[in-house]
Amino acid sequence: MIFKKGELFNGPGGFAWAAKHAKVEANGEVYSIEHAWSNDYDVSACETYKHNICPDKPDTVYHGDVRELDINSLSDIDAFIYGFPCNDFSVVGEKKGFDGEFGPLYTYGIKVLKRFQPKWFIAENVGGLQSANEGRAFARILRDMVDAGYKVTPHLYNFANYGVPQSRQRILIVGFRNDLNVQFRVPAPTHGPGLPFPFKTAYEAITDPPIPEGALNHDMPKHTKKVIEFLESIPPGQNAWYEGIPEHLRLNVKGARMSQIYRRLDTVSPSYTVTGSGGGGTHMYHWEEPRALTNRERARLQTFPDSFEFKGPKDKVRQQVGMAVPPNGAKVIIEAVLKTYAGVPYDHIAPKWDIDELLNQTTILV
């Protein structure tokens, strides 16, 4: 069975790459996913998506504001994925939730669910979503998904527990249409202490195998002499506030000290979260060489294959890499979705939240 997939806020295609390569064989049948259409407002992300996901169907990637997208003109789908913008739900920033510019954009995914009634969907957002608007935003979003006709399973995933060489926590909401009478179960973590496999480290991700010369998106960054000297005084795993930094090099910063500022990777653990920012010492920094990571190294931490080419200028590539869903982590979730539909059992754990308790105990926004 082939599920035809629609996608909003497609980004560079982390989820789409995972969907393109996910397959489950059961009951004498192969369950897989095929791209039907997608949308994003960022032109560079759209070009990246076209190039890597659907080079034979570039016209099916609609560039533009989702608020101006004619949903009724899109082709029928039976699977839907959307990582609605997280700016207003992030723990970094003002956390405006529904009161911000981006908070209400999740409703366009609800419109797709109501219009096409796909068999299943996956929605993705940052962990900060659970506390936005004192938790009411999360409950409102879940309520709208349930009212659209879906049995939903929300969970807070750390992709490091699924073999991604990066500590990255994201809320994923998986929904199956009510009439299918199936219940999605959260796949059991596989990597970490006491689990079948150890965490994959940032060192392994970047060095094994070595990134070849001339690799795509692998331009080396340039730094001033002072920045190089500054980085040389910071050990692996430490940041700009390391006490051993010489006095004349220390940053004069008042107020909050963010831990990722000039933070160098550790060789024995997953990396910290890859983000789309880059100013003020947030590029992510090599554990040994006194420099920021290249975009290809950051893409390795996000588990994009070296053959995946990001389009656009360097800052746009950095943004795309940081905002993407790690393909290898997404593939675990998508394969669990396919197994659920096919009736194939797999190891699972209890979700972080009981959906009925969430909806019953939380005041819903109106």
Side-chain angles (χ1 to χ4, degrees):
M1 177 175 184
I2 299 176
F3 294 94
K4 293 181 179 179
K5 170 186 63 68
E7 193 169 356
L8 292 184
F9 316 108
N10 56 236
F15 245 126
W17 187 95
K20 188 175 181 176
H21 293 84
K23 285 182 177 57
V24 167
E25 294 187 32
N27 315 315
E29 192 171 1
V30 176
Y31 296 81
S32 62
I33 302 166
E34 181 180 276
H35 164 84
W37 50 258
S38 69
N39 164 258
D40 199 282
Y41 76 101
D42 186 273
V43 65
S44 295
C46 286
E47 291 305 312
T48 297
Y49 192 101
K50 292 176 189 177
H51 180 73
N52 295 279
I53 305 303
C54 54
D56 56 332
K57 297 189 290 185
D59 293 343
T60 60
V61 180
Y62 300 94
H63 168 243
D65 192 323
V66 69
R67 290 167 287 198
E68 299 173 6
L69 180 67
D70 183 4
I71 291 175
N72 291 323
S73 70
L74 301 172
S75 62
D76 285 342
I77 55 171
D78 41 27
F80 178 52
I81 295 175
Y82 78 122
F84 51 99
C86 61
N87 310 54
D88 291 325
F89 300 122
S90 176
V91 293
V92 178
E94 298 181 24
K95 292 174 66 175
K96 296 179 180 178
F98 283 135
D99 300 324
E101 178 184 358
F102 300 103
L105 293 183
Y106 87 92
T107 59
Y108 290 86
I110 302 299
K111 290 179 181 179
V112 169
L113 295 179
K114 291 180 177 179
R115 166 68 178 81
F116 296 103
Q117 285 286 289
K119 292 180 172 66
W120 55 265
F121 75 86
I122 303 173
E124 179 264 345
N125 208 278
V126 292
L129 172 63
Q130 62 185 306
S131 56
N133 294 94
E134 300 177 338
R136 293 178 296 161
F138 189 31
R140 167 67 178 273
I141 290 168
L142 293 172
R143 168 61 67 190
D144 285 351
M145 292 172 172
V146 168
D147 288 348
Y150 290 84
K151 183 180 291 186
V152 300
T153 305
H155 184 65
L156 181 65
Y157 295 81
N158 186 341
F159 285 118
N161 291 134
Y162 297 91
V164 174
Q166 174 194 171
S167 179
R168 189 180 189 90
Q169 294 197 56
R170 290 293 184 269
I171 290 174
L172 296 181
I173 306 165
V174 177
F176 274 89
R177 207 172 61 203
N178 286 334
D179 63 297
L180 297 176
N181 294 316
V182 295
Q183 177 67 57
F184 178 77
R185 301 186 186 282
V186 177
T190 51
H191 292 66
L195 296 174
F197 304 99
F199 283 131
K200 187 167 184 179
T201 68
Y203 178 87
E204 289 176 284
I206 290 175
T207 64
D208 186 16
I211 298 175
E213 276 190 48
L216 301 167
N217 308 117
H218 192 45
D219 298 331
M220 286 291 164
K222 297 178 181 178
H223 300 299
T224 64
K225 183 179 179 181
K226 184 175 181 180
V227 168
I228 292 173
E229 188 180 359
F230 182 67
L231 289 169
E232 286 177 334
S233 67
I234 301 174
Q238 297 294 325
N239 59 22
W241 322 120
Y242 174 63
E243 292 183 358
I245 297 173
E247 192 71 36
H248 72 283
L249 291 174
R250 292 190 181 185
L251 301 182
N252 183 18
V253 176
K254 296 179 181 179
R257 295 184 170 187
M258 297 175 66
S259 63
Q260 67 264 42
I261 302 299
Y262 287 107
R263 185 174 174 185
R264 304 190 77 173
L265 295 180
D266 198 332
T267 58
V268 295
S269 63
S271 82
Y272 53 96
T273 304
V274 179
T275 68
S277 61
T282 60
H283 281 281
M284 305 190 76
Y285 296 86
H286 199 276
W287 60 86
E288 182 178 37
E289 300 174 25
R291 63 169 177 84
L293 299 185
T294 70
N295 281 325
R296 179 50 54 191
E297 288 169 332
R298 296 167 81 255
R300 281 271 185 107
L301 298 177
Q302 284 277 60
T303 69
F304 282 96
D306 290 350
S307 59
F308 194 102
E309 181 177 5
F310 294 86
K311 298 293 188 178
K314 284 175 66 174
D315 62 328
K316 279 293 186 180
V317 171
R318 183 178 66 242
Q319 184 183 67
Q320 291 173 61
V321 173
M323 295 182 73
V325 175
N328 287 9
K331 190 165 180 276
V332 172
I333 310 306
I334 290 173
E335 287 182 342
V337 167
L338 296 178
K339 288 176 182 176
T340 300
Y341 188 88
V344 177
Y346 56 89
D347 290 340
H348 59 271
I349 59 172
K352 176 177 173 62
W353 300 284
D354 180 281
I355 183 65
D356 294 324
E357 287 184 11
L358 263 180
L359 296 180
N360 288 335
Q361 72 185 12
T362 309
T363 302
I364 306 299
L365 282 176
V366 295

